[in-house]
Amino acid sequence: MSPKMLIPLVLAVVLLSTGLMQSSHAQLSSSYYSSTCPSVQAIVRSGMQSAVQNETRMAASILRLFFHDCFVQGCDASVLLDATSTMQSEKSAIPNANSLRGFDVVDTIKASVESSCPGVVSCADILALAARDAVVLSGGPSWTVMLGRRDSLTASYSDANANIPSPDDDISTLTSKFQAQGLSTTDLVVLSGAHTIGQARCVTFRDRLYNEDGSGEADPTLSTTYLQQLQSICPSSGSDDNLAPLDVQTATKFDNAYYVNLLNEQGLLTSDQELFSSNSSSIVPIVKKLAQSSSSFFSAFPTSMTSMGSINVLTGTNGEVRLNCRTIN
Ligand code: HEM
Ligand SMILES: *[C@@H]1O[C@H](CO)[C@@H](O)[C@H](O)[C@H]1NC(C)=O
Ligand SMILES: *[C@@H]1O[C@H](CO)[C@@H](O)[C@H](O)[C@H]1NC(C)=O
């Protein structure tokens, strides 16, 4: 073979091997169940519709469940596994215990999916679809969900503690926890916009109100009126489970008010307000743009959700399709 003919051959080998090394999300497909369970999208949507109709907050709870799944071993439904005698659950990890909600809703949806298409649709894919439907039902954008994830055989209590960001993380910790998942600072800002819906417990923001960084003072990046409002919900001790909306303006509507709140020093968690008040020259412009333009937020959110939804997915013959989301087969 002449050297000239070798060039395309070498190119082909390089292209093929980089293709194989690409993140496994290349293996997900929007039509994954089109012949094996064509009704799956309608079943999940109708399950989410009933759940949100019964309790508006459930949209937020399911969206968060998907995030907490993806940040631990990837989007593999590991968060849904109950503890066994040999395995601690992710549910009992610090960020999740007495906090994550929606497991019963997932069980109900899984049962309906199983009755139409037994043994076909993974819990991980159900969660990805349900999270999208949660956003749509709250007035947010829709998108095509990539499918074909399989369910894990294990959970990781220790990774749940280590990987999931904490409400008092600063901007550099938040950035590095997202980077560790292959997500960018843009993804961090855009996905934090999920806090346009849902509630947080007093215990997750109390220190900001009374004793920021051990100072005995409130966090100076909290607007005065908002501080007073939060103090009336969350006393300096007790009432740990009292709830405040993550978006003080439009608590149940999926919109870009979250970012406007940050500009007004009305972010609920330290991790929210840090996106603006740490004055990061690369991040503040993103916050401002999303605050200014609802359509930028609505086009960015699906993109970042698709990236988050492809973290370390199990595909092909890896993992399994669980029959019950709480236990391995
Ligand atoms: C950037 C780092 C993040 C931190 C530190 C964080 C932290 C928190 C905390 C502490 C709560 C309240 C939990 C409780 O009081 O029990 C919460 C709620 C929530 N989070 Fe995040 N979160 C982050 C990112 C995200 C992302 C990426 C999503 C989804 C894409 C998300 C979705 C939600 C939702 C929807 C709620 C409300 C849940 C409900 O009402 O049941 N969060 N988050
Ligand atoms: C409806 O929501 C309430 C909480 O508001 C909950 O206790 C109940 O279990 C839910 N019912 C169904 C069928 O999901
Ligand atoms: C950010 O900028 C504001 C306004 O200039 C200033 O008051 C604040 O101290 C700065 N914060 C930090 C963390 O540098």
Side-chain angles (χ1 to χ4, degrees):
M1 215 184 299
S2 78
K4 224 178 175 173
M5 284 179 68
L6 264 174
I7 294 171
L9 186 68
V10 169
L11 251 178
V13 169
V14 168
L15 285 176
L16 189 69
S17 54
T18 51
L20 289 172
M21 285 185 307
Q22 236 178 25
S23 72
S24 32
H25 106 249
Q27 295 165 12
L28 298 179
S29 146
S30 58
S31 58
Y32 190 77
Y33 297 111
S34 61
S35 63
T36 53
C37 191
S39 57
V40 64
Q41 306 236 9
I43 298 172
V44 174
R45 190 185 321 123
S46 121
M48 283 302 293
Q49 237 154 17
S50 325
V52 173
Q53 201 162 15
N54 175 59
E55 188 199 2
T56 308
R57 185 186 175 195
M58 195 47 72
S61 303
I62 294 290
L63 178 55
R64 182 171 188 237
L65 201 47
F66 184 54
F67 161 51
H68 284 213
D69 182 31
C70 293
F71 267 54
V72 181
Q73 303 183 164
C75 313
D76 60 358
S78 55
V79 71
L80 302 178
L81 287 174
D82 285 340
T84 67
S85 56
T86 56
M87 188 189 75
Q88 280 181 290
S89 68
E90 293 173 19
K91 297 175 182 186
S92 62
I94 292 163
N96 295 339
N98 190 29
S99 179
L100 273 191
R101 312 171 74 247
F103 298 109
D104 297 343
V105 169
V106 175
D107 289 342
T108 302
I109 295 174
K110 173 66 170 173
S112 325
V113 172
E114 282 302 303
S115 70
S116 285
C117 321
V120 168
V121 181
S122 67
C123 298
D125 278 343
I126 287 175
L127 212 41
L129 288 168
R132 185 270 316 269
D133 294 341
V135 171
V136 173
L137 288 165
S138 308
S142 190
W143 64 92
T144 301
V145 177
M146 301 299 280
L147 299 166
R149 297 167 191 78
R150 287 165 61 89
D151 299 324
S152 70
L153 303 174
T154 57
S156 179
Y157 172 84
S158 58
D159 283 359
N161 283 324
N163 299 0
I164 296 170
S166 147
D168 41 50
D169 281 347
D170 64 13
I171 195 68
S172 71
T173 307
L174 292 169
T175 305
S176 62
K177 284 181 176 172
F178 272 66
Q179 197 168 47
Q181 302 292 341
L183 297 176
S184 67
T185 50
T186 300
D187 294 324
L188 164 64
V189 178
V190 168
L191 291 171
S192 292
H195 289 177
T196 176
I197 54 173
Q199 311 266 324
R201 290 166 304 143
C202 166
V203 69
T204 67
F205 56 86
R206 170 180 285 130
D207 285 355
R208 300 189 70 206
L209 312 183
Y210 303 100
N211 190 20
E212 174 70 4
D213 295 331
S215 64
E217 308 279 342
D219 184 338
T221 66
L222 269 173
S223 86
T224 315
T225 49
Y226 187 48
L227 171 63
Q228 286 165 354
Q229 197 179 330
L230 291 178
Q231 284 177 331
S232 75
I233 296 172
C234 183
S236 59
S237 69
S239 306
D240 286 4
D241 293 338
N242 282 5
L243 295 173
L246 283 154
D247 171 357
V248 69
Q249 303 298 336
T250 50
T252 61
K253 193 172 184 310
F254 195 101
D255 59 15
N256 69 333
Y258 168 82
Y259 300 102
V260 177
N261 297 339
L262 302 185
L263 305 189
N264 293 331
E265 300 191 309
Q266 294 182 324
L268 180 60
L269 309 175
T270 295
S271 57
D272 295 319
Q273 196 58 50
E274 272 286 299
L275 299 176
F276 182 67
S277 298
S278 62
N279 298 339
S280 159
S281 60
S282 56
I283 293 176
V284 167
I286 307 173
V287 173
K288 286 186 169 162
K289 181 167 186 208
L290 297 171
Q292 213 167 51
S293 162
S294 157
S295 63
S296 311
F297 178 46
F298 276 26
S299 82
F301 195 77
T303 304
S304 290
M305 282 293 284
T306 302
S307 298
M308 184 174 85
S310 56
I311 297 170
N312 260 347
V313 291
L314 297 169
T315 56
T317 54
N318 295 319
E320 66 179 12
V321 172
R322 271 180 229 149
L323 299 176
N324 173 337
C325 295
R326 293 173 182 268
T327 57
I328 64 171
N329 294 344

